[in-house]
């Protein structure tokens, strides 16, 4: 795959004043008049420029704000960027991540070659050096990301490469910081890969093409293998849900299986994890066709599956001592003479029959086969991730993914990973009252519920296919896309889920 901007991240023990870079980046809280001691020392060398800026009220440290000072040869850096971190007591790891992303985003816009981040100094002591390093590296990748592989006119910010350095004045912090930075860089790179694959349009990525991309990804990674079920194998295995959804398209469906086997044996009692991701390469709604407004965004309906794919790459690069299986059902949901129809009764892989009431509720049809397959493979814990329902977007907006589960422990683990990764989740119900709505009179289940609680009834439908296996469902509808460019992110795919899932898996094995 063409690397759009190559980001190279490292840690360096260096006196901030002596840090030679295009831009040195420091953080500033809105409510503390005093600068942290490293920035203060830097300001002394700058002749008090930072203090003057703050005193004049030109920079208040508010979130989403930043300002640039020129060093005029007083320090080794060409420029100093101050980033507002907001109120000190509210600062989280994601504050740092977003600040690093803002700096990297600006650096790309300004076509800089190098930036040095001293942001973590503002939060010293509040979080571990490893956690801060991870957040900074993830943020630097996130903010510098651009998608322009089909732009042929102009340079469109195409920069080639950006060198990002986490600058740490004290050597005793450096090791832990560096560990975090290198883990964060692995995750950041995986997330950028996810964004590029997801941003590619449906005429470029169809289910067979996604399978090919998975095979290519696996080729370069230690511990990963890839198996793909094509339409013949799907038929032989009786995966009726995946086949039904794919039946309207010229591009046949696939089930992509990416398996990670660690080089060292997992600790005793460590669960085998299945990650299941919805990869509808385009969701027109099928015969129950969607309105045309914003239908183009349905190329991102493969985001869950791609998040799983990229997470598998990160897991392999991190060498986590854990068995993880990525299962990615992929189909294109189109209307045609061969499409599945409302009223059809589909026999799924589990043997359960489903009455189709709306062909636009296709995600659950490909997921139900795959969840049942994961159970059959004896996976201990299953997490699925999918752009599943508009209802989840109505409920939570673009700020949090819906989280439904049959295990309070798994909910707690995913919430912790969400806090640490800045990919936020909100626990929603999926119990019996919701399952009741999914019963059909002429089949075992129906594929849509009533008018209300659509995110929960969808989850309750999926729940019927995992039996007693520990399971969680992440509904990421609305989280997959950033409609507008922000101060820290390009518009388009967000790669949501890569940081959350990888952080969850790292926590399982105690990797910092
Ligand atoms: N992929 C959509 C959900 C979606 C909508 C994701 C908007 C991102 C933005 C999903 O396949 C879908 O169409 N769901 C239907 C379900 C309904 C027919 C029960 C929906 O939410 O309207
Ligand atoms: Mn749909
Ligand atoms: Zn869909």
């Amino acid at each position: 795959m063409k690397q759009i901007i190559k980001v190279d991240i490292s840690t360096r023990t260096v006196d901030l004043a002596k840090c030679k870079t295009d831009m040195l980046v420091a953080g500033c809280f809105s409510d503390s008049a005093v600068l942290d001691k490293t920035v203060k020392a830097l300001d002394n060398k700058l002749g008090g420029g930072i203090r003057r800026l703050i005193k004049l009220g030109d920079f208040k440290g508010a979130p989403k704000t930043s300002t640039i000072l020129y060093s005029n040869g007083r320090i080794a850096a060409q420029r100093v960027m101050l980033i507002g971190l907001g109120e000190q007591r509210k600062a989280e790891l994601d504050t740092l991540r977003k600040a690093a992303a803002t700096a990297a985003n600006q650096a790309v816009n300004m076509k800089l070659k190098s930036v040095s981040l001293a942001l973590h100094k503002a939060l010293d002591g509040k979080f571990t050096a490893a956690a801060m390093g991870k957040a900074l590296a993830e943020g630097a990748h996130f903010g510098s990301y651009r998608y322009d592989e089909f732009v042929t006119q102009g340079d469109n910010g195409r920069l080639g490469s950006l060198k990002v350095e986490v600058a740490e004045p004290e050597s005793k912090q450096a090791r832990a910081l560096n560990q975090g930075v290198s883990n964060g860089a692995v995750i950041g790179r995986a997330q950028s890969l996810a964004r590029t694959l997801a941003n590619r349009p449906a005429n470029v990525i169809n289910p067979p093409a996604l399978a090919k991309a998975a095979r290519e990804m696996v080729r370069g990674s230690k511990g990963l293998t890839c198996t793909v079920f094509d339409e013949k194998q799907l038929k032989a295995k009786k995966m009726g849900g995946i086949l039904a959804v794919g039946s309207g398209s010229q591009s046949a469906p696939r089930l992509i299986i990416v398996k990670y086997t660690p080089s060292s044996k997992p600790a005793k009692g460590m669960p085998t994890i299945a990650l299941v991701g919805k990869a509808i390469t385009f969701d027109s709604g099928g015969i129950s066709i969607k309105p045309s407004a914003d239908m183009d965004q349905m190329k991102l309906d493969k985001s869950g599956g791609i998040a799983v794919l990229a997470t598998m790459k990160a897991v392999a690069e991190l060498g986590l001592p854990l068995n993880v299986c990525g299962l990615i059902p992929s189909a294109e949901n189109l209307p045609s003479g061969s499409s599945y129809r409302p009223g059809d009764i589909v026999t799924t892989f589990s043997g359960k029959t489903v009455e189709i009431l709306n062909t636009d509720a296709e995600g659950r049809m490909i997921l139900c086969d795959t969840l049942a397959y994961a159970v059959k493979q004896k996976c201990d814990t299953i997490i699925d991730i999918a752009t599943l329902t508009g209802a989840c977007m109505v409920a939570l907006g673009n700020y949090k993914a819906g989280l439904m589960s049959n295990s309070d422990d798994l909910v707690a683990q995913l919430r912790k990973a969400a806090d640490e990764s800045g990919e936020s989740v909100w626990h929603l119900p999926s119990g019996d009252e919701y399952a009741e709505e999914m019963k059909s009179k002429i089949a075992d289940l129906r594929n849509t519920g009533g008018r209300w609680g659509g995110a929960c009834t969808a989850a309750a439908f999926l729940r019927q296919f995992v039996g007693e296996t520990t399971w969680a469902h992440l509904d990421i509808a609305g989280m997959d896309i950033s409609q507008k460019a922000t101060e820290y992110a390009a518009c388009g795919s967000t790669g949501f889920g890569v940081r959350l899932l990888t952080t969850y898996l790292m926590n399982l094995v105690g990797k910092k």
Side-chain angles (χ1 to χ4, degrees):
M1 187 194 85
K2 187 158 70 181
Q3 184 90 40
I4 292 155
I5 291 175
K6 194 175 172 298
V7 185
D8 179 24
I9 308 188
S10 57
T11 316
R12 183 156 64 120
T13 310
V14 59
D15 177 346
L16 296 187
K18 292 189 183 134
C19 184
K20 205 169 163 235
T21 172
D22 287 346
M23 187 159 78
L24 179 63
V25 186
C28 211
F29 293 112
S30 59
D31 54 349
S32 75
V34 279
L35 295 166
D36 72 68
K37 74 172 194 286
T38 41
V39 180
K40 205 186 238 165
L42 195 67
D43 193 34
N44 289 339
K45 296 240 164 68
L46 284 169
I50 297 179
R51 261 168 292 185
R52 202 159 306 136
L53 246 172
I54 294 171
K55 205 169 161 205
L56 288 173
D58 295 359
F59 177 72
K60 297 189 174 74
K64 300 187 184 183
T65 65
S66 61
T67 192
I68 292 176
L69 292 85
Y70 291 84
S71 58
N72 299 325
R74 289 174 189 255
I75 60 172
Q78 291 279 1
R79 305 164 182 81
V80 175
M81 179 187 234
L82 289 179
I83 295 196
L85 300 176
E87 283 177 57
Q88 186 159 13
R89 65 179 178 86
K90 284 192 189 160
E92 294 168 16
L93 279 174
D94 204 45
T95 310
L96 273 190
R97 187 181 290 106
K98 287 206 171 98
T102 303
N105 183 31
Q106 287 254 22
V108 171
N109 287 344
M110 294 162 72
K111 297 188 171 22
L112 305 185
K113 289 277 166 229
S114 62
V115 347
S116 295
L117 308 176
L119 286 157
H120 62 295
K121 299 313 293 172
L123 267 70
D124 248 356
K126 186 160 177 176
F127 301 104
T128 66
M132 292 196 288
K134 174 174 175 279
L136 289 176
E138 289 170 348
H141 271 282
F142 199 79
S144 57
Y145 179 82
R146 298 290 184 277
Y147 182 67
D148 64 356
E149 65 178 338
F150 289 102
V151 176
T152 65
Q153 307 289 300
D155 68 3
N156 280 283
R158 204 181 284 262
L159 165 121
S161 66
L162 177 68
K163 191 171 171 296
V164 180
E165 167 182 273
V166 176
E168 168 55 47
E170 287 158 52
S171 61
K172 69 174 197 297
Q173 284 255 65
R175 226 189 116 122
L177 195 64
N178 192 43
Q179 185 61 55
V181 166
S182 63
N183 292 341
V186 166
I187 298 169
R189 265 200 313 274
Q191 188 154 40
S192 293
L193 166 70
R195 291 169 82 180
T196 295
L197 289 174
N199 278 327
R200 285 186 181 159
N203 61 333
V204 173
I205 294 233
N206 54 31
L210 184 60
K212 192 167 165 246
R215 283 212 180 89
E216 263 163 35
M217 187 196 86
V218 159
R219 210 167 295 142
S221 305
K222 212 173 128 228
L224 293 183
T225 57
C226 180
T227 313
V228 177
F229 294 167
D230 63 12
E231 61 269 40
K232 277 195 217 99
Q233 288 153 306
L234 291 169
K235 266 183 203 135
K237 296 210 152 50
K238 300 201 164 91
M239 297 196 155
I242 301 175
L243 286 164
V245 174
S247 64
S249 172
Q250 301 277 337
S251 309
R254 297 284 185 267
L255 177 59
I256 304 163
I257 304 172
V258 176
K259 223 178 182 166
Y260 170 68
T261 313
S263 56
S264 55
K265 219 173 145 215
K268 231 176 138 201
M270 207 41 96
T272 294
I273 311 290
L275 303 177
V276 173
K278 168 182 172 181
I280 295 292
T281 56
F282 187 71
D283 182 12
S284 70
I287 298 293
S288 316
I289 198 162
K290 289 179 182 293
S292 9
D294 295 332
M295 205 204 266
D296 58 295
Q297 290 178 11
M298 285 300 125
K299 70 169 186 176
L300 290 173
D301 212 21
K302 57 190 180 302
S303 298
I306 285 171
V308 168
L309 195 61
T311 299
M312 295 308 294
K313 185 176 169 66
V315 166
E317 284 184 19
L318 293 168
L320 301 186
L322 193 68
N323 285 303
V324 189
C325 186
L327 299 159
I328 302 151
S330 184
E332 185 176 38
N333 190 20
L334 291 181
S336 80
S338 55
S339 297
Y340 79 135
R341 295 151 289 246
D344 284 2
I345 296 177
V346 172
T347 303
T348 65
F349 178 71
S350 64
K352 286 192 167 82
T353 55
V354 181
E355 181 190 5
I356 305 299
L357 292 175
N358 190 322
T359 61
D360 199 11
E362 84 297 341
R364 61 200 76 182
M365 296 308 298
I366 66 170
L367 290 171
C368 72
D369 279 353
T370 315
L371 292 171
Y373 182 78
V375 171
K376 206 169 169 200
Q377 298 300 302
K378 298 198 162 43
C379 295
D380 303 303
T381 300
I382 306 175
I383 301 172
D384 77 71
I385 175 164
T387 47
L388 203 64
T389 66
C392 195
M393 258 169 100
V394 172
L396 302 176
N398 302 131
Y399 306 106
K400 289 175 192 304
L403 164 63
M404 294 80 160
S405 177
N406 59 10
S407 156
D408 289 341
D409 284 347
L410 186 52
V411 167
Q413 289 169 333
L414 285 167
R415 278 177 154 170
K416 180 170 184 283
D419 285 345
E420 292 167 359
S421 68
E423 292 189 326
S424 204
V425 298
W426 197 258
H427 189 191
L428 295 171
S430 61
D432 292 347
E433 59 273 58
Y434 298 96
E436 194 59 38
E437 282 193 33
M438 303 307 290
K439 285 188 179 150
S440 163
K441 289 205 165 61
I442 58 169
D444 300 331
L445 292 161
R446 39 190 277 166
N447 82 330
T448 60
R451 183 150 158 63
W452 312 113
C456 304
T457 50
F461 176 92
L462 297 179
R463 192 178 185 141
Q464 322 277 313
F465 295 87
V466 297
E468 298 301 307
T469 308
T470 302
W471 158 84
H473 160 61
L474 295 162
D475 192 333
I476 61 164
M479 304 306 293
D480 56 320
I481 184 171
S482 168
Q483 303 269 3
K484 286 191 297 235
T486 63
E487 74 283 2
Y488 64 86
C491 63
S493 168
T494 58
F496 187 96
V498 177
R499 297 202 309 262
L500 171 63
L501 292 172
T502 310
T503 304
Y504 159 77
L505 296 170
M506 283 172 74
N507 287 346
L508 271 187
V509 299
K511 188 170 176 96
K512 295 272 186 305

